[in-house]
Amino acid sequence: MKKRSASILSVGALLAGLLGGAFATASSASAAASHECNTSKKLYSGSYYKLLPHQNYADADPFWCYLKYGSNNSGVSALQWSLNKCYGAGLAVDGSYGNATRAAVIDLQQRLNIGVDGEYGPQTRNAMRWSYRNSSGAHAYCA
C-alpha cells in the first residue's frame, strides 16, 4: 500500500509540474503589455506598409500593447486582416475580438510554438507574419 501511495504521489507531482509549466507558458503570450491597443498605425518599409495594433497613449513603445476577447477597435481589424492574408484565418474584418478571432490567435500561437492564451500581445506580434500593403491598401505580401 505504501508503494502504491508513493506512486500516486509521484504521478500527482509530475502532473502538477507539467500543468504548472503549461499555465506559465500560456500566460506569457500577452505578458509585458500593460496597455490595451486602441487603434492601428502604419509602419512603412519602402513603398509598402504594415498596419499594426497601436496604443495612442502608451508611455513606452505604443506597439507593445495587447488585444483580447471583447476588444473592439481598428487594432483588431489590423490583426484580423493579417491573420486572413498571411494565415488563411477566414475572419470577418470587423474590428471585434470575438470567439473566431480568439480561436484564430490560439491556432496561430500553437503553430508558432509560443505561449498559448488566445490574446494578442508583444510575443504574438513579434512571432507572426504581417500583411504588407501597397499605396492603394491592397495586400502585397507577408513578412
mmCIF file of all heavy atoms in Angstrom, residues 57-109:
data_model
loop_
_atom_site.group_PDB
_atom_site.id
_atom_site.type_symbol
_atom_site.label_atom_id
_atom_site.label_comp_id
_atom_site.label_asym_id
_atom_site.label_seq_id
_atom_site.Cartn_x
_atom_site.Cartn_y
_atom_site.Cartn_z
ATOM 1 N N TYR A 57 -1.843 56.239 -26.209
ATOM 2 C CA TYR A 57 -1.407 56.945 -25.006
ATOM 3 C C TYR A 57 -0.364 56.195 -24.201
ATOM 4 O O TYR A 57 -0.158 56.492 -23.030
ATOM 5 C CB TYR A 57 -2.627 57.268 -24.136
ATOM 6 C CG TYR A 57 -3.689 57.991 -24.919
ATOM 7 C CD1 TYR A 57 -4.839 57.328 -25.314
ATOM 8 C CD2 TYR A 57 -3.509 59.310 -25.310
ATOM 9 C CE1 TYR A 57 -5.807 57.989 -26.065
ATOM 10 C CE2 TYR A 57 -4.467 59.973 -26.061
ATOM 11 C CZ TYR A 57 -5.609 59.307 -26.434
ATOM 12 O OH TYR A 57 -6.559 59.959 -27.187
ATOM 13 N N ALA A 58 0.310 55.226 -24.811
ATOM 14 C CA ALA A 58 1.311 54.446 -24.078
ATOM 15 C C ALA A 58 2.524 55.312 -23.768
ATOM 16 O O ALA A 58 2.950 56.128 -24.584
ATOM 17 C CB ALA A 58 1.732 53.227 -24.895
ATOM 18 N N ASP A 59 3.083 55.117 -22.580
ATOM 19 C CA ASP A 59 4.274 55.870 -22.171
ATOM 20 C C ASP A 59 5.526 55.379 -22.888
ATOM 21 O O ASP A 59 6.384 56.155 -23.252
ATOM 22 C CB ASP A 59 4.487 55.749 -20.658
ATOM 23 C CG ASP A 59 3.345 56.380 -19.877
ATOM 24 O OD1 ASP A 59 2.733 57.330 -20.398
ATOM 25 O OD2 ASP A 59 3.070 55.908 -18.770
ATOM 26 N N ALA A 60 5.618 54.078 -23.067
ATOM 27 C CA ALA A 60 6.806 53.498 -23.700
ATOM 28 C C ALA A 60 6.479 53.200 -25.167
ATOM 29 O O ALA A 60 5.916 54.032 -25.858
ATOM 30 C CB ALA A 60 7.221 52.245 -22.945
ATOM 31 N N ASP A 61 6.819 52.011 -25.637
ATOM 32 C CA ASP A 61 6.576 51.612 -27.021
ATOM 33 C C ASP A 61 5.073 51.408 -27.242
ATOM 34 O O ASP A 61 4.490 50.496 -26.675
ATOM 35 C CB ASP A 61 7.342 50.324 -27.318
ATOM 36 C CG ASP A 61 7.210 49.865 -28.754
ATOM 37 O OD1 ASP A 61 6.336 50.372 -29.485
ATOM 38 O OD2 ASP A 61 7.976 48.980 -29.150
ATOM 39 N N PRO A 62 4.426 52.242 -28.061
ATOM 40 C CA PRO A 62 2.975 52.138 -28.247
ATOM 41 C C PRO A 62 2.530 50.884 -28.997
ATOM 42 O O PRO A 62 1.341 50.603 -29.068
ATOM 43 C CB PRO A 62 2.629 53.402 -29.036
ATOM 44 C CG PRO A 62 3.894 53.791 -29.709
ATOM 45 C CD PRO A 62 5.012 53.343 -28.803
ATOM 46 N N PHE A 63 3.482 50.122 -29.557
ATOM 47 C CA PHE A 63 3.136 48.879 -30.239
ATOM 48 C C PHE A 63 3.175 47.685 -29.289
ATOM 49 O O PHE A 63 2.786 46.593 -29.645
ATOM 50 C CB PHE A 63 4.057 48.639 -31.440
ATOM 51 C CG PHE A 63 3.873 49.681 -32.512
ATOM 52 C CD1 PHE A 63 4.777 50.708 -32.660
ATOM 53 C CD2 PHE A 63 2.770 49.633 -33.360
ATOM 54 C CE1 PHE A 63 4.597 51.677 -33.638
ATOM 55 C CE2 PHE A 63 2.578 50.599 -34.333
ATOM 56 C CZ PHE A 63 3.496 51.630 -34.475
ATOM 57 N N TRP A 64 3.675 47.874 -28.072
ATOM 58 C CA TRP A 64 3.705 46.799 -27.074
ATOM 59 C C TRP A 64 2.405 46.837 -26.290
ATOM 60 O O TRP A 64 2.392 47.093 -25.097
ATOM 61 C CB TRP A 64 4.926 46.937 -26.158
ATOM 62 C CG TRP A 64 6.159 46.542 -26.867
ATOM 63 C CD1 TRP A 64 6.852 47.271 -27.779
ATOM 64 C CD2 TRP A 64 6.832 45.296 -26.762
ATOM 65 N NE1 TRP A 64 7.910 46.557 -28.243
ATOM 66 C CE2 TRP A 64 7.924 45.341 -27.637
ATOM 67 C CE3 TRP A 64 6.611 44.136 -26.013
ATOM 68 C CZ2 TRP A 64 8.797 44.273 -27.787
ATOM 69 C CZ3 TRP A 64 7.485 43.080 -26.160
ATOM 70 C CH2 TRP A 64 8.561 43.150 -27.036
ATOM 71 N N CYS A 65 1.331 46.616 -26.995
ATOM 72 C CA CYS A 65 0.021 46.645 -26.368
ATOM 73 C C CYS A 65 -0.633 45.275 -26.538
ATOM 74 O O CYS A 65 -0.064 44.393 -27.164
ATOM 75 C CB CYS A 65 -0.832 47.751 -26.994
ATOM 76 S SG CYS A 65 -0.982 47.697 -28.797
ATOM 77 N N TYR A 66 -1.800 45.106 -25.970
ATOM 78 C CA TYR A 66 -2.470 43.811 -26.056
ATOM 79 C C TYR A 66 -3.895 43.983 -26.561
ATOM 80 O O TYR A 66 -4.488 45.069 -26.495
ATOM 81 C CB TYR A 66 -2.480 43.107 -24.697
ATOM 82 C CG TYR A 66 -3.357 43.777 -23.666
ATOM 83 C CD1 TYR A 66 -4.712 43.451 -23.554
ATOM 84 C CD2 TYR A 66 -2.856 44.754 -22.820
ATOM 85 C CE1 TYR A 66 -5.530 44.086 -22.625
ATOM 86 C CE2 TYR A 66 -3.665 45.388 -21.895
ATOM 87 C CZ TYR A 66 -5.000 45.049 -21.804
ATOM 88 O OH TYR A 66 -5.812 45.680 -20.900
ATOM 89 N N LEU A 67 -4.425 42.900 -27.118
ATOM 90 C CA LEU A 67 -5.825 42.789 -27.502
ATOM 91 C C LEU A 67 -6.330 41.478 -26.951
ATOM 92 O O LEU A 67 -5.586 40.494 -26.887
ATOM 93 C CB LEU A 67 -5.976 42.781 -29.029
ATOM 94 C CG LEU A 67 -5.608 44.059 -29.772
ATOM 95 C CD1 LEU A 67 -5.499 43.801 -31.268
ATOM 96 C CD2 LEU A 67 -6.638 45.149 -29.492
ATOM 97 N N LYS A 68 -7.578 41.449 -26.562
ATOM 98 C CA LYS A 68 -8.147 40.217 -26.029
ATOM 99 C C LYS A 68 -9.629 40.175 -26.344
ATOM 100 O O LYS A 68 -10.188 41.142 -26.889
ATOM 101 C CB LYS A 68 -7.911 40.119 -24.527
ATOM 102 C CG LYS A 68 -8.564 41.214 -23.719
ATOM 103 C CD LYS A 68 -8.250 41.066 -22.253
ATOM 104 C CE LYS A 68 -8.937 42.165 -21.464
ATOM 105 N NZ LYS A 68 -8.728 42.041 -20.045
ATOM 106 N N TYR A 69 -10.253 39.074 -25.978
ATOM 107 C CA TYR A 69 -11.682 38.906 -26.194
ATOM 108 C C TYR A 69 -12.427 40.128 -25.652
ATOM 109 O O TYR A 69 -12.191 40.561 -24.533
ATOM 110 C CB TYR A 69 -12.179 37.637 -25.490
ATOM 111 C CG TYR A 69 -13.638 37.362 -25.738
ATOM 112 C CD1 TYR A 69 -14.038 36.668 -26.865
ATOM 113 C CD2 TYR A 69 -14.604 37.828 -24.862
ATOM 114 C CE1 TYR A 69 -15.375 36.431 -27.120
ATOM 115 C CE2 TYR A 69 -15.945 37.603 -25.108
ATOM 116 C CZ TYR A 69 -16.337 36.908 -26.232
ATOM 117 O OH TYR A 69 -17.658 36.686 -26.472
ATOM 118 N N GLY A 70 -13.263 40.717 -26.493
ATOM 119 C CA GLY A 70 -14.016 41.901 -26.101
ATOM 120 C C GLY A 70 -13.435 43.203 -26.634
ATOM 121 O O GLY A 70 -14.134 44.218 -26.649
ATOM 122 N N SER A 71 -12.156 43.197 -27.061
ATOM 123 C CA SER A 71 -11.574 44.405 -27.653
ATOM 124 C C SER A 71 -12.338 44.723 -28.937
ATOM 125 O O SER A 71 -12.772 43.823 -29.661
ATOM 126 C CB SER A 71 -10.095 44.196 -27.982
ATOM 127 O OG SER A 71 -9.326 44.015 -26.820
ATOM 128 N N ASN A 72 -12.473 46.008 -29.225
ATOM 129 C CA ASN A 72 -13.237 46.414 -30.397
ATOM 130 C C ASN A 72 -12.673 47.726 -30.917
ATOM 131 O O ASN A 72 -13.008 48.793 -30.402
ATOM 132 C CB ASN A 72 -14.717 46.556 -30.016
ATOM 133 C CG ASN A 72 -15.618 46.663 -31.220
ATOM 134 O OD1 ASN A 72 -15.178 46.603 -32.353
ATOM 135 N ND2 ASN A 72 -16.901 46.844 -30.965
ATOM 136 N N ASN A 73 -11.793 47.652 -31.926
ATOM 137 C CA ASN A 73 -11.190 48.855 -32.480
ATOM 138 C C ASN A 73 -10.437 48.504 -33.766
ATOM 139 O O ASN A 73 -10.423 47.352 -34.193
ATOM 140 C CB ASN A 73 -10.264 49.525 -31.458
ATOM 141 C CG ASN A 73 -9.199 48.595 -30.932
ATOM 142 O OD1 ASN A 73 -8.415 48.060 -31.708
ATOM 143 N ND2 ASN A 73 -9.172 48.385 -29.624
ATOM 144 N N SER A 74 -9.806 49.503 -34.377
ATOM 145 C CA SER A 74 -9.092 49.274 -35.636
ATOM 146 C C SER A 74 -7.836 48.420 -35.448
ATOM 147 O O SER A 74 -7.338 47.829 -36.405
ATOM 148 C CB SER A 74 -8.737 50.603 -36.311
ATOM 149 O OG SER A 74 -7.820 51.337 -35.527
ATOM 150 N N GLY A 75 -7.319 48.331 -34.224
ATOM 151 C CA GLY A 75 -6.195 47.433 -33.962
ATOM 152 C C GLY A 75 -6.599 45.985 -34.172
ATOM 153 O O GLY A 75 -5.831 45.181 -34.707
ATOM 154 N N VAL A 76 -7.821 45.642 -33.782
ATOM 155 C CA VAL A 76 -8.335 44.288 -34.004
ATOM 156 C C VAL A 76 -8.480 44.051 -35.505
ATOM 157 O O VAL A 76 -8.109 42.983 -36.012
ATOM 158 C CB VAL A 76 -9.685 44.067 -33.280
ATOM 159 C CG1 VAL A 76 -10.234 42.678 -33.578
ATOM 160 C CG2 VAL A 76 -9.535 44.267 -31.776
ATOM 161 N N SER A 77 -8.964 45.050 -36.234
ATOM 162 C CA SER A 77 -9.097 44.915 -37.693
ATOM 163 C C SER A 77 -7.743 44.653 -38.340
ATOM 164 O O SER A 77 -7.634 43.824 -39.254
ATOM 165 C CB SER A 77 -9.714 46.180 -38.307
ATOM 166 O OG SER A 77 -11.022 46.365 -37.848
ATOM 167 N N ALA A 78 -6.708 45.357 -37.887
ATOM 168 C CA ALA A 78 -5.363 45.152 -38.428
ATOM 169 C C ALA A 78 -4.890 43.720 -38.178
ATOM 170 O O ALA A 78 -4.316 43.074 -39.060
ATOM 171 C CB ALA A 78 -4.382 46.149 -37.813
ATOM 172 N N LEU A 79 -5.136 43.216 -36.986
ATOM 173 C CA LEU A 79 -4.781 41.840 -36.649
ATOM 174 C C LEU A 79 -5.570 40.861 -37.515
ATOM 175 O O LEU A 79 -4.999 39.932 -38.095
ATOM 176 C CB LEU A 79 -5.053 41.582 -35.163
ATOM 177 C CG LEU A 79 -4.863 40.144 -34.666
ATOM 178 C CD1 LEU A 79 -3.417 39.698 -34.819
ATOM 179 C CD2 LEU A 79 -5.314 40.029 -33.211
ATOM 180 N N GLN A 80 -6.873 41.066 -37.637
ATOM 181 C CA GLN A 80 -7.720 40.170 -38.431
ATOM 182 C C GLN A 80 -7.272 40.150 -39.891
ATOM 183 O O GLN A 80 -7.219 39.082 -40.512
ATOM 184 C CB GLN A 80 -9.188 40.608 -38.330
ATOM 185 C CG GLN A 80 -9.782 40.394 -36.960
ATOM 186 C CD GLN A 80 -11.118 41.089 -36.774
ATOM 187 O OE1 GLN A 80 -11.383 42.146 -37.372
ATOM 188 N NE2 GLN A 80 -11.968 40.512 -35.933
ATOM 189 N N TRP A 81 -6.945 41.300 -40.437
ATOM 190 C CA TRP A 81 -6.501 41.395 -41.829
ATOM 191 C C TRP A 81 -5.267 40.517 -42.050
ATOM 192 O O TRP A 81 -5.218 39.729 -42.979
ATOM 193 C CB TRP A 81 -6.206 42.861 -42.173
ATOM 194 C CG TRP A 81 -5.579 43.071 -43.523
ATOM 195 C CD1 TRP A 81 -4.250 43.036 -43.815
ATOM 196 C CD2 TRP A 81 -6.248 43.330 -44.752
ATOM 197 N NE1 TRP A 81 -4.049 43.273 -45.149
ATOM 198 C CE2 TRP A 81 -5.259 43.452 -45.752
ATOM 199 C CE3 TRP A 81 -7.586 43.487 -45.107
ATOM 200 C CZ2 TRP A 81 -5.569 43.726 -47.086
ATOM 201 C CZ3 TRP A 81 -7.885 43.758 -46.444
ATOM 202 C CH2 TRP A 81 -6.884 43.870 -47.407
ATOM 203 N N SER A 82 -4.266 40.651 -41.178
ATOM 204 C CA SER A 82 -3.041 39.861 -41.346
ATOM 205 C C SER A 82 -3.274 38.378 -41.077
ATOM 206 O O SER A 82 -2.679 37.528 -41.739
ATOM 207 C CB SER A 82 -1.914 40.401 -40.465
ATOM 208 O OG SER A 82 -1.358 41.555 -41.064
ATOM 209 N N LEU A 83 -4.124 38.055 -40.114
ATOM 210 C CA LEU A 83 -4.450 36.641 -39.879
ATOM 211 C C LEU A 83 -5.090 36.034 -41.121
ATOM 212 O O LEU A 83 -4.812 34.884 -41.476
ATOM 213 C CB LEU A 83 -5.382 36.496 -38.670
ATOM 214 C CG LEU A 83 -4.746 36.727 -37.299
ATOM 215 C CD1 LEU A 83 -5.822 36.787 -36.209
ATOM 216 C CD2 LEU A 83 -3.719 35.652 -36.972
ATOM 217 N N ASN A 84 -5.921 36.792 -41.815
ATOM 218 C CA ASN A 84 -6.546 36.311 -43.048
ATOM 219 C C ASN A 84 -5.541 36.181 -44.181
ATOM 220 O O ASN A 84 -5.459 35.138 -44.835
ATOM 221 C CB ASN A 84 -7.675 37.255 -43.491
ATOM 222 C CG ASN A 84 -8.911 37.134 -42.635
ATOM 223 O OD1 ASN A 84 -9.075 36.179 -41.887
ATOM 224 N ND2 ASN A 84 -9.790 38.116 -42.738
ATOM 225 N N LYS A 85 -4.790 37.233 -44.433
ATOM 226 C CA LYS A 85 -3.893 37.273 -45.594
ATOM 227 C C LYS A 85 -2.680 36.362 -45.439
ATOM 228 O O LYS A 85 -2.226 35.772 -46.404
ATOM 229 C CB LYS A 85 -3.431 38.708 -45.874
ATOM 230 C CG LYS A 85 -4.550 39.649 -46.237
ATOM 231 C CD LYS A 85 -5.248 39.209 -47.511
ATOM 232 C CE LYS A 85 -6.357 40.160 -47.891
ATOM 233 N NZ LYS A 85 -7.083 39.726 -49.091
ATOM 234 N N CYS A 86 -2.146 36.264 -44.240
ATOM 235 C CA CYS A 86 -0.901 35.506 -44.038
ATOM 236 C C CYS A 86 -1.130 34.093 -43.506
ATOM 237 O O CYS A 86 -0.247 33.245 -43.617
ATOM 238 C CB CYS A 86 0.028 36.270 -43.102
ATOM 239 S SG CYS A 86 0.467 37.923 -43.706
ATOM 240 N N TYR A 87 -2.285 33.838 -42.924
ATOM 241 C CA TYR A 87 -2.535 32.534 -42.296
ATOM 242 C C TYR A 87 -3.856 31.897 -42.718
ATOM 243 O O TYR A 87 -4.213 30.836 -42.214
ATOM 244 C CB TYR A 87 -2.478 32.665 -40.761
ATOM 245 C CG TYR A 87 -1.121 33.083 -40.284
ATOM 246 C CD1 TYR A 87 -0.850 34.418 -40.004
ATOM 247 C CD2 TYR A 87 -0.098 32.150 -40.130
ATOM 248 C CE1 TYR A 87 0.416 34.817 -39.578
ATOM 249 C CE2 TYR A 87 1.165 32.540 -39.706
ATOM 250 C CZ TYR A 87 1.412 33.872 -39.437
ATOM 251 O OH TYR A 87 2.668 34.260 -39.024
ATOM 252 N N GLY A 88 -4.600 32.540 -43.615
ATOM 253 C CA GLY A 88 -5.845 31.976 -44.119
ATOM 254 C C GLY A 88 -6.918 31.779 -43.062
ATOM 255 O O GLY A 88 -7.677 30.812 -43.124
ATOM 256 N N ALA A 89 -7.020 32.691 -42.113
ATOM 257 C CA ALA A 89 -7.939 32.533 -40.986
ATOM 258 C C ALA A 89 -9.417 32.628 -41.378
ATOM 259 O O ALA A 89 -10.264 32.060 -40.692
ATOM 260 C CB ALA A 89 -7.624 33.555 -39.895
ATOM 261 N N GLY A 90 -9.744 33.333 -42.434
ATOM 262 C CA GLY A 90 -11.132 33.442 -42.863
ATOM 263 C C GLY A 90 -12.018 34.248 -41.926
ATOM 264 O O GLY A 90 -13.209 33.976 -41.799
ATOM 265 N N LEU A 91 -11.448 35.248 -41.280
ATOM 266 C CA LEU A 91 -12.193 36.071 -40.322
ATOM 267 C C LEU A 91 -12.913 37.225 -41.015
ATOM 268 O O LEU A 91 -12.437 37.747 -42.025
ATOM 269 C CB LEU A 91 -11.233 36.674 -39.284
ATOM 270 C CG LEU A 91 -10.465 35.699 -38.418
ATOM 271 C CD1 LEU A 91 -9.367 36.436 -37.655
ATOM 272 C CD2 LEU A 91 -11.403 34.992 -37.460
ATOM 273 N N ALA A 92 -14.020 37.646 -40.442
ATOM 274 C CA ALA A 92 -14.634 38.911 -40.839
ATOM 275 C C ALA A 92 -13.738 40.006 -40.274
ATOM 276 O O ALA A 92 -13.376 39.964 -39.097
ATOM 277 C CB ALA A 92 -16.038 39.028 -40.269
ATOM 278 N N VAL A 93 -13.345 40.955 -41.102
ATOM 279 C CA VAL A 93 -12.511 42.073 -40.624
ATOM 280 C C VAL A 93 -13.474 43.151 -40.141
ATOM 281 O O VAL A 93 -13.796 44.091 -40.842
ATOM 282 C CB VAL A 93 -11.562 42.580 -41.729
ATOM 283 C CG1 VAL A 93 -10.697 43.722 -41.212
ATOM 284 C CG2 VAL A 93 -10.682 41.442 -42.234
ATOM 285 N N ASP A 94 -13.924 42.948 -38.895
ATOM 286 C CA ASP A 94 -14.953 43.818 -38.331
ATOM 287 C C ASP A 94 -14.492 44.591 -37.098
ATOM 288 O O ASP A 94 -15.252 45.350 -36.511
ATOM 289 C CB ASP A 94 -16.200 43.003 -37.993
ATOM 290 C CG ASP A 94 -15.937 41.882 -36.976
ATOM 291 O OD1 ASP A 94 -14.798 41.777 -36.463
ATOM 292 O OD2 ASP A 94 -16.873 41.104 -36.720
ATOM 293 N N GLY A 95 -13.237 44.394 -36.678
ATOM 294 C CA GLY A 95 -12.718 45.127 -35.524
ATOM 295 C C GLY A 95 -13.200 44.609 -34.186
ATOM 296 O O GLY A 95 -12.940 45.218 -33.160
ATOM 297 N N SER A 96 -13.850 43.467 -34.187
ATOM 298 C CA SER A 96 -14.389 42.907 -32.946
ATOM 299 C C SER A 96 -13.657 41.607 -32.592
ATOM 300 O O SER A 96 -13.677 40.649 -33.372
ATOM 301 C CB SER A 96 -15.889 42.641 -33.117
ATOM 302 O OG SER A 96 -16.419 42.096 -31.931
ATOM 303 N N TYR A 97 -13.009 41.587 -31.438
ATOM 304 C CA TYR A 97 -12.235 40.429 -30.975
ATOM 305 C C TYR A 97 -13.195 39.476 -30.261
ATOM 306 O O TYR A 97 -13.343 39.501 -29.050
ATOM 307 C CB TYR A 97 -11.140 40.892 -30.026
ATOM 308 C CG TYR A 97 -9.949 39.967 -29.879
ATOM 309 C CD1 TYR A 97 -8.700 40.379 -30.287
ATOM 310 C CD2 TYR A 97 -10.077 38.712 -29.300
ATOM 311 C CE1 TYR A 97 -7.591 39.562 -30.128
ATOM 312 C CE2 TYR A 97 -8.978 37.878 -29.143
ATOM 313 C CZ TYR A 97 -7.736 38.316 -29.564
ATOM 314 O OH TYR A 97 -6.642 37.499 -29.406
ATOM 315 N N GLY A 98 -13.850 38.641 -31.071
ATOM 316 C CA GLY A 98 -14.801 37.680 -30.533
ATOM 317 C C GLY A 98 -14.229 36.273 -30.544
ATOM 318 O O GLY A 98 -13.013 36.074 -30.602
ATOM 319 N N ASN A 99 -15.124 35.296 -30.512
ATOM 320 C CA ASN A 99 -14.709 33.895 -30.443
ATOM 321 C C ASN A 99 -13.863 33.466 -31.634
ATOM 322 O O ASN A 99 -12.880 32.741 -31.471
ATOM 323 C CB ASN A 99 -15.942 32.984 -30.327
ATOM 324 C CG ASN A 99 -16.593 33.088 -28.972
ATOM 325 O OD1 ASN A 99 -15.931 33.292 -27.960
ATOM 326 N ND2 ASN A 99 -17.911 32.960 -28.942
ATOM 327 N N ALA A 100 -14.239 33.903 -32.852
ATOM 328 C CA ALA A 100 -13.498 33.487 -34.044
ATOM 329 C C ALA A 100 -12.077 34.057 -34.043
ATOM 330 O O ALA A 100 -11.117 33.355 -34.378
ATOM 331 C CB ALA A 100 -14.246 33.908 -35.302
ATOM 332 N N THR A 101 -11.931 35.315 -33.666
ATOM 333 C CA THR A 101 -10.598 35.929 -33.621
ATOM 334 C C THR A 101 -9.762 35.271 -32.533
ATOM 335 O O THR A 101 -8.585 34.949 -32.749
ATOM 336 C CB THR A 101 -10.705 37.446 -33.389
ATOM 337 O OG1 THR A 101 -11.460 38.013 -34.464
ATOM 338 C CG2 THR A 101 -9.331 38.097 -33.322
ATOM 339 N N ARG A 102 -10.355 35.020 -31.393
ATOM 340 C CA ARG A 102 -9.637 34.341 -30.309
ATOM 341 C C ARG A 102 -9.169 32.954 -30.761
ATOM 342 O O ARG A 102 -8.025 32.576 -30.527
ATOM 343 C CB ARG A 102 -10.519 34.229 -29.058
ATOM 344 C CG ARG A 102 -9.788 33.634 -27.866
ATOM 345 C CD ARG A 102 -10.678 33.634 -26.611
ATOM 346 N NE ARG A 102 -9.930 33.174 -25.468
ATOM 347 C CZ ARG A 102 -9.682 31.893 -25.180
ATOM 348 N NH1 ARG A 102 -10.130 30.942 -25.959
ATOM 349 N NH2 ARG A 102 -8.984 31.566 -24.113
ATOM 350 N N ALA A 103 -10.035 32.204 -31.432
ATOM 351 C CA ALA A 103 -9.675 30.867 -31.923
ATOM 352 C C ALA A 103 -8.548 30.956 -32.958
ATOM 353 O O ALA A 103 -7.631 30.123 -32.955
ATOM 354 C CB ALA A 103 -10.887 30.169 -32.522
ATOM 355 N N ALA A 104 -8.581 31.977 -33.827
ATOM 356 C CA ALA A 104 -7.525 32.155 -34.823
ATOM 357 C C ALA A 104 -6.189 32.492 -34.163
ATOM 358 O O ALA A 104 -5.127 32.022 -34.594
ATOM 359 C CB ALA A 104 -7.916 33.244 -35.819
ATOM 360 N N VAL A 105 -6.223 33.293 -33.102
ATOM 361 C CA VAL A 105 -4.992 33.637 -32.378
ATOM 362 C C VAL A 105 -4.447 32.403 -31.656
ATOM 363 O O VAL A 105 -3.241 32.150 -31.665
ATOM 364 C CB VAL A 105 -5.218 34.822 -31.412
ATOM 365 C CG1 VAL A 105 -4.021 35.036 -30.487
ATOM 366 C CG2 VAL A 105 -5.505 36.099 -32.206
ATOM 367 N N ILE A 106 -5.315 31.613 -31.061
ATOM 368 C CA ILE A 106 -4.873 30.373 -30.411
ATOM 369 C C ILE A 106 -4.210 29.455 -31.440
ATOM 370 O O ILE A 106 -3.130 28.910 -31.205
ATOM 371 C CB ILE A 106 -6.051 29.663 -29.710
ATOM 372 C CG1 ILE A 106 -6.441 30.426 -28.446
ATOM 373 C CG2 ILE A 106 -5.710 28.206 -29.377
ATOM 374 C CD1 ILE A 106 -7.728 29.940 -27.787
ATOM 375 N N ASP A 107 -4.848 29.300 -32.606
ATOM 376 C CA ASP A 107 -4.280 28.462 -33.666
ATOM 377 C C ASP A 107 -2.905 28.987 -34.083
ATOM 378 O O ASP A 107 -1.949 28.226 -34.236
ATOM 379 C CB ASP A 107 -5.230 28.427 -34.860
ATOM 380 C CG ASP A 107 -4.686 27.593 -36.000
ATOM 381 O OD1 ASP A 107 -4.474 26.371 -35.800
ATOM 382 O OD2 ASP A 107 -4.467 28.146 -37.093
ATOM 383 N N LEU A 108 -2.800 30.298 -34.256
ATOM 384 C CA LEU A 108 -1.528 30.921 -34.630
ATOM 385 C C LEU A 108 -0.461 30.672 -33.566
ATOM 386 O O LEU A 108 0.669 30.282 -33.877
ATOM 387 C CB LEU A 108 -1.723 32.421 -34.834
ATOM 388 C CG LEU A 108 -0.454 33.237 -35.069
ATOM 389 C CD1 LEU A 108 0.144 32.905 -36.422
ATOM 390 C CD2 LEU A 108 -0.766 34.712 -34.963
ATOM 391 N N GLN A 109 -0.806 30.881 -32.304
ATOM 392 C CA GLN A 109 0.163 30.692 -31.220
ATOM 393 C C GLN A 109 0.628 29.241 -31.154
ATOM 394 O O GLN A 109 1.815 28.978 -30.913
ATOM 395 C CB GLN A 109 -0.463 31.129 -29.887
ATOM 396 C CG GLN A 109 -0.658 32.630 -29.801
ATOM 397 C CD GLN A 109 -1.522 33.071 -28.637
ATOM 398 O OE1 GLN A 109 -2.350 32.317 -28.118
ATOM 399 N NE2 GLN A 109 -1.346 34.318 -28.210
#
